Amino acid sequence: MLPRSSRRTTLSVMMIVRDEADRVEACLQSVAGWASEIVVLDSGSTDGTTDIVRRYTDKLWVTDWPGYGPQRNRALDHCSGEWVLSIDADEVVTPELRDEIDRVLDEPERDFTVLKMPWKTYFFGRPLKHGRYTSPQAKLFLREGVRYRDHQVHESLLMPRRKDRVLKAPLEHYSWRSYQHVQEKHLKYGCLLAGQKFAKGHRGNLAYAALRFGTDFLQQYLLRGGFLDGSRGFLMAVILGQYAFHKYAALWALEADAATPPSTPPPAP
């Protein structure tokens, strides 16, 4: 466990987890003793995740799964710190990032309400240096008055006043266990986003889905410099193109299913 931080401000670390026994401990080790408290909501793990979490905090709640936004709001309701760091089980707070957060939060005059930190995302053994998965993430925020949007996925912060500051030290990010996992995760998120869009009245078509594959691939590979990451950058650009395709193809499929009349059983002979 890390030595207790000398930071004057209180900091809650919150996490939402399910079946993360293979990587949650590294995340917890990176904040245990440094954070004022660790709040974890587990949505039904069966792999021993909760046993690991209990070694680091007694603020663990086992719940159902209402979606990412509602679940983060549940976790936020249990936080008591002045500031909240929302991280996932696949992320690790480095010593450099801890030190920078302590220094910034103890500045005498703070005109920011959100601290964003660069993602150091590992992809098949090496960090990506360009593209979407290196963008600074709004993970640390002043708690008062904050809620997450009630979205199933890609939930964002709602704040009474927002002013960002970007830190220099990165947050390490180990998002994918394998090639199969990276594909499954993007397909899952794509279908969830399609469901959100469909509920709001959006409709899709396959031609637009194919167009988005091309534009999102080019944006990641060329405009955002993915080609500079070599073969990993090319593969990630393809995956993000597929992700865009999945969103709009799934939206088209939802529309097609909704327009299909229910089948009726044949009359009895």
mmCIF file of all heavy atoms in Angstrom, residues 71-96:
data_model
loop_
_atom_site.group_PDB
_atom_site.id
_atom_site.type_symbol
_atom_site.label_atom_id
_atom_site.label_comp_id
_atom_site.label_asym_id
_atom_site.label_seq_id
_atom_site.Cartn_x
_atom_site.Cartn_y
_atom_site.Cartn_z
ATOM 1 N N GLN A 71 -24.914 3.806 -13.450
ATOM 2 C CA GLN A 71 -24.049 3.133 -12.482
ATOM 3 C C GLN A 71 -22.984 4.079 -11.937
ATOM 4 O O GLN A 71 -22.663 4.048 -10.738
ATOM 5 C CB GLN A 71 -23.402 1.895 -13.116
ATOM 6 C CG GLN A 71 -22.644 1.009 -12.144
ATOM 7 C CD GLN A 71 -23.546 0.155 -11.269
ATOM 8 O OE1 GLN A 71 -24.679 0.503 -10.980
ATOM 9 N NE2 GLN A 71 -23.031 -0.990 -10.832
ATOM 10 N N ARG A 72 -22.443 4.925 -12.792
ATOM 11 C CA ARG A 72 -21.455 5.898 -12.289
ATOM 12 C C ARG A 72 -22.125 6.892 -11.334
ATOM 13 O O ARG A 72 -21.516 7.316 -10.354
ATOM 14 C CB ARG A 72 -20.779 6.621 -13.452
ATOM 15 C CG ARG A 72 -19.856 5.726 -14.270
ATOM 16 C CD ARG A 72 -18.878 6.515 -15.111
ATOM 17 N NE ARG A 72 -18.270 5.676 -16.120
ATOM 18 C CZ ARG A 72 -17.229 4.864 -15.920
ATOM 19 N NH1 ARG A 72 -16.689 4.779 -14.706
ATOM 20 N NH2 ARG A 72 -16.722 4.140 -16.905
ATOM 21 N N ASN A 73 -23.358 7.251 -11.602
ATOM 22 C CA ASN A 73 -24.062 8.142 -10.674
ATOM 23 C C ASN A 73 -24.289 7.465 -9.326
ATOM 24 O O ASN A 73 -24.209 8.117 -8.280
ATOM 25 C CB ASN A 73 -25.385 8.596 -11.285
ATOM 26 C CG ASN A 73 -25.211 9.711 -12.293
ATOM 27 O OD1 ASN A 73 -24.306 10.534 -12.178
ATOM 28 N ND2 ASN A 73 -26.072 9.742 -13.299
ATOM 29 N N ARG A 74 -24.575 6.182 -9.337
ATOM 30 C CA ARG A 74 -24.699 5.448 -8.074
ATOM 31 C C ARG A 74 -23.384 5.499 -7.292
ATOM 32 O O ARG A 74 -23.379 5.726 -6.082
ATOM 33 C CB ARG A 74 -25.064 3.990 -8.343
ATOM 34 C CG ARG A 74 -26.489 3.723 -8.773
ATOM 35 C CD ARG A 74 -26.640 2.251 -9.087
ATOM 36 N NE ARG A 74 -28.015 1.866 -9.383
ATOM 37 C CZ ARG A 74 -28.367 0.640 -9.753
ATOM 38 N NH1 ARG A 74 -27.435 -0.301 -9.909
ATOM 39 N NH2 ARG A 74 -29.627 0.347 -9.992
ATOM 40 N N ALA A 75 -22.278 5.259 -7.994
ATOM 41 C CA ALA A 75 -20.979 5.298 -7.320
ATOM 42 C C ALA A 75 -20.698 6.698 -6.796
ATOM 43 O O ALA A 75 -20.198 6.877 -5.675
ATOM 44 C CB ALA A 75 -19.877 4.854 -8.289
ATOM 45 N N LEU A 76 -21.022 7.706 -7.591
ATOM 46 C CA LEU A 76 -20.791 9.094 -7.200
ATOM 47 C C LEU A 76 -21.559 9.439 -5.927
ATOM 48 O O LEU A 76 -21.065 10.192 -5.072
ATOM 49 C CB LEU A 76 -21.198 10.015 -8.346
ATOM 50 C CG LEU A 76 -20.815 11.488 -8.271
ATOM 51 C CD1 LEU A 76 -19.315 11.655 -8.088
ATOM 52 C CD2 LEU A 76 -21.288 12.203 -9.532
ATOM 53 N N ASP A 77 -22.744 8.877 -5.769
ATOM 54 C CA ASP A 77 -23.552 9.142 -4.574
ATOM 55 C C ASP A 77 -22.879 8.639 -3.298
ATOM 56 O O ASP A 77 -23.200 9.115 -2.201
ATOM 57 C CB ASP A 77 -24.925 8.496 -4.710
ATOM 58 C CG ASP A 77 -25.813 9.224 -5.718
ATOM 59 O OD1 ASP A 77 -25.541 10.404 -5.992
ATOM 60 O OD2 ASP A 77 -26.755 8.590 -6.235
ATOM 61 N N HIS A 78 -21.983 7.681 -3.423
ATOM 62 C CA HIS A 78 -21.276 7.134 -2.253
ATOM 63 C C HIS A 78 -19.967 7.870 -1.961
ATOM 64 O O HIS A 78 -19.320 7.570 -0.952
ATOM 65 C CB HIS A 78 -20.981 5.652 -2.461
ATOM 66 C CG HIS A 78 -22.202 4.776 -2.438
ATOM 67 N ND1 HIS A 78 -22.942 4.563 -1.294
ATOM 68 C CD2 HIS A 78 -22.811 4.072 -3.419
ATOM 69 C CE1 HIS A 78 -23.948 3.755 -1.571
ATOM 70 N NE2 HIS A 78 -23.901 3.433 -2.856
ATOM 71 N N CYS A 79 -19.561 8.787 -2.829
ATOM 72 C CA CYS A 79 -18.291 9.485 -2.651
ATOM 73 C C CYS A 79 -18.466 10.682 -1.717
ATOM 74 O O CYS A 79 -19.459 11.403 -1.797
ATOM 75 C CB CYS A 79 -17.754 9.967 -3.999
ATOM 76 S SG CYS A 79 -17.259 8.640 -5.119
ATOM 77 N N SER A 80 -17.467 10.898 -0.869
ATOM 78 C CA SER A 80 -17.529 12.017 0.075
ATOM 79 C C SER A 80 -16.394 13.015 -0.127
ATOM 80 O O SER A 80 -16.379 14.060 0.529
ATOM 81 C CB SER A 80 -17.482 11.486 1.513
ATOM 82 O OG SER A 80 -16.271 10.779 1.751
ATOM 83 N N GLY A 81 -15.449 12.721 -0.992
ATOM 84 C CA GLY A 81 -14.306 13.605 -1.191
ATOM 85 C C GLY A 81 -14.682 14.881 -1.915
ATOM 86 O O GLY A 81 -15.670 14.944 -2.653
ATOM 87 N N GLU A 82 -13.877 15.912 -1.715
ATOM 88 C CA GLU A 82 -14.097 17.175 -2.423
ATOM 89 C C GLU A 82 -13.893 16.985 -3.924
ATOM 90 O O GLU A 82 -14.600 17.569 -4.734
ATOM 91 C CB GLU A 82 -13.128 18.238 -1.888
ATOM 92 C CG GLU A 82 -13.282 19.605 -2.540
ATOM 93 C CD GLU A 82 -12.244 20.605 -2.060
ATOM 94 O OE1 GLU A 82 -11.375 20.234 -1.240
ATOM 95 O OE2 GLU A 82 -12.296 21.760 -2.524
ATOM 96 N N TRP A 83 -12.917 16.158 -4.276
ATOM 97 C CA TRP A 83 -12.630 15.824 -5.665
ATOM 98 C C TRP A 83 -12.839 14.329 -5.873
ATOM 99 O O TRP A 83 -12.685 13.541 -4.938
ATOM 100 C CB TRP A 83 -11.200 16.205 -6.035
ATOM 101 C CG TRP A 83 -10.989 17.687 -6.099
ATOM 102 C CD1 TRP A 83 -10.799 18.537 -5.048
ATOM 103 C CD2 TRP A 83 -10.981 18.498 -7.269
ATOM 104 N NE1 TRP A 83 -10.669 19.820 -5.491
ATOM 105 C CE2 TRP A 83 -10.768 19.842 -6.853
ATOM 106 C CE3 TRP A 83 -11.113 18.228 -8.633
ATOM 107 C CZ2 TRP A 83 -10.701 20.893 -7.753
ATOM 108 C CZ3 TRP A 83 -11.037 19.289 -9.530
ATOM 109 C CH2 TRP A 83 -10.838 20.599 -9.093
ATOM 110 N N VAL A 84 -13.191 13.950 -7.110
ATOM 111 C CA VAL A 84 -13.439 12.543 -7.442
ATOM 112 C C VAL A 84 -12.616 12.166 -8.667
ATOM 113 O O VAL A 84 -12.633 12.878 -9.683
ATOM 114 C CB VAL A 84 -14.932 12.278 -7.719
ATOM 115 C CG1 VAL A 84 -15.138 10.847 -8.210
ATOM 116 C CG2 VAL A 84 -15.770 12.529 -6.463
ATOM 117 N N LEU A 85 -11.906 11.048 -8.553
ATOM 118 C CA LEU A 85 -11.196 10.452 -9.679
ATOM 119 C C LEU A 85 -11.948 9.194 -10.087
ATOM 120 O O LEU A 85 -12.027 8.239 -9.318
ATOM 121 C CB LEU A 85 -9.754 10.112 -9.291
ATOM 122 C CG LEU A 85 -8.922 9.362 -10.337
ATOM 123 C CD1 LEU A 85 -8.761 10.167 -11.618
ATOM 124 C CD2 LEU A 85 -7.555 8.976 -9.762
ATOM 125 N N SER A 86 -12.528 9.202 -11.275
ATOM 126 C CA SER A 86 -13.285 8.060 -11.780
ATOM 127 C C SER A 86 -12.397 7.266 -12.730
ATOM 128 O O SER A 86 -12.048 7.740 -13.816
ATOM 129 C CB SER A 86 -14.541 8.545 -12.511
ATOM 130 O OG SER A 86 -15.242 7.453 -13.074
ATOM 131 N N ILE A 87 -12.016 6.068 -12.312
ATOM 132 C CA ILE A 87 -11.152 5.234 -13.152
ATOM 133 C C ILE A 87 -11.772 3.857 -13.319
ATOM 134 O O ILE A 87 -12.698 3.476 -12.604
ATOM 135 C CB ILE A 87 -9.717 5.115 -12.584
ATOM 136 C CG1 ILE A 87 -9.728 4.557 -11.158
ATOM 137 C CG2 ILE A 87 -9.005 6.450 -12.644
ATOM 138 C CD1 ILE A 87 -8.347 4.292 -10.606
ATOM 139 N N ASP A 88 -11.260 3.116 -14.279
ATOM 140 C CA ASP A 88 -11.734 1.767 -14.561
ATOM 141 C C ASP A 88 -10.687 0.751 -14.153
ATOM 142 O O ASP A 88 -9.509 1.080 -13.951
ATOM 143 C CB ASP A 88 -12.067 1.628 -16.044
ATOM 144 C CG ASP A 88 -13.209 2.548 -16.462
ATOM 145 O OD1 ASP A 88 -14.167 2.681 -15.674
ATOM 146 O OD2 ASP A 88 -13.144 3.124 -17.564
ATOM 147 N N ALA A 89 -11.113 -0.501 -14.072
ATOM 148 C CA ALA A 89 -10.217 -1.556 -13.613
ATOM 149 C C ALA A 89 -9.034 -1.772 -14.544
ATOM 150 O O ALA A 89 -8.024 -2.346 -14.137
ATOM 151 C CB ALA A 89 -10.999 -2.868 -13.453
ATOM 152 N N ASP A 90 -9.129 -1.312 -15.790
ATOM 153 C CA ASP A 90 -8.036 -1.493 -16.746
ATOM 154 C C ASP A 90 -7.084 -0.297 -16.790
ATOM 155 O O ASP A 90 -6.284 -0.171 -17.706
ATOM 156 C CB ASP A 90 -8.581 -1.782 -18.149
ATOM 157 C CG ASP A 90 -9.490 -0.679 -18.680
ATOM 158 O OD1 ASP A 90 -9.599 0.388 -18.027
ATOM 159 O OD2 ASP A 90 -10.112 -0.879 -19.739
ATOM 160 N N GLU A 91 -7.181 0.583 -15.783
ATOM 161 C CA GLU A 91 -6.326 1.775 -15.733
ATOM 162 C C GLU A 91 -5.447 1.750 -14.482
ATOM 163 O O GLU A 91 -5.842 1.225 -13.442
ATOM 164 C CB GLU A 91 -7.184 3.039 -15.754
ATOM 165 C CG GLU A 91 -7.933 3.198 -17.071
ATOM 166 C CD GLU A 91 -8.938 4.320 -17.061
ATOM 167 O OE1 GLU A 91 -9.538 4.604 -15.993
ATOM 168 O OE2 GLU A 91 -9.152 4.914 -18.128
ATOM 169 N N VAL A 92 -4.264 2.354 -14.596
ATOM 170 C CA VAL A 92 -3.301 2.393 -13.494
ATOM 171 C C VAL A 92 -2.806 3.825 -13.338
ATOM 172 O O VAL A 92 -2.368 4.448 -14.312
ATOM 173 C CB VAL A 92 -2.109 1.444 -13.760
ATOM 174 C CG1 VAL A 92 -1.027 1.636 -12.706
ATOM 175 C CG2 VAL A 92 -2.580 -0.006 -13.778
ATOM 176 N N VAL A 93 -2.892 4.338 -12.116
ATOM 177 C CA VAL A 93 -2.407 5.683 -11.814
ATOM 178 C C VAL A 93 -0.917 5.589 -11.488
ATOM 179 O O VAL A 93 -0.532 4.958 -10.505
ATOM 180 C CB VAL A 93 -3.178 6.302 -10.639
ATOM 181 C CG1 VAL A 93 -2.686 7.717 -10.346
ATOM 182 C CG2 VAL A 93 -4.684 6.321 -10.931
ATOM 183 N N THR A 94 -0.079 6.197 -12.292
ATOM 184 C CA THR A 94 1.370 6.109 -12.109
ATOM 185 C C THR A 94 1.820 7.011 -10.960
ATOM 186 O O THR A 94 1.118 7.963 -10.589
ATOM 187 C CB THR A 94 2.101 6.543 -13.382
ATOM 188 O OG1 THR A 94 1.782 7.917 -13.650
ATOM 189 C CG2 THR A 94 1.679 5.678 -14.568
ATOM 190 N N PRO A 95 3.007 6.759 -10.386
ATOM 191 C CA PRO A 95 3.537 7.654 -9.347
ATOM 192 C C PRO A 95 3.650 9.096 -9.834
ATOM 193 O O PRO A 95 3.379 10.031 -9.071
ATOM 194 C CB PRO A 95 4.909 7.051 -9.034
ATOM 195 C CG PRO A 95 4.780 5.606 -9.388
ATOM 196 C CD PRO A 95 3.864 5.571 -10.574
ATOM 197 N N GLU A 96 4.044 9.288 -11.093
ATOM 198 C CA GLU A 96 4.170 10.635 -11.641
ATOM 199 C C GLU A 96 2.812 11.346 -11.692
ATOM 200 O O GLU A 96 2.714 12.546 -11.405
ATOM 201 C CB GLU A 96 4.778 10.577 -13.044
ATOM 202 C CG GLU A 96 6.214 10.078 -13.098
ATOM 203 C CD GLU A 96 6.327 8.559 -12.973
ATOM 204 O OE1 GLU A 96 5.295 7.862 -13.126
ATOM 205 O OE2 GLU A 96 7.445 8.085 -12.706
#
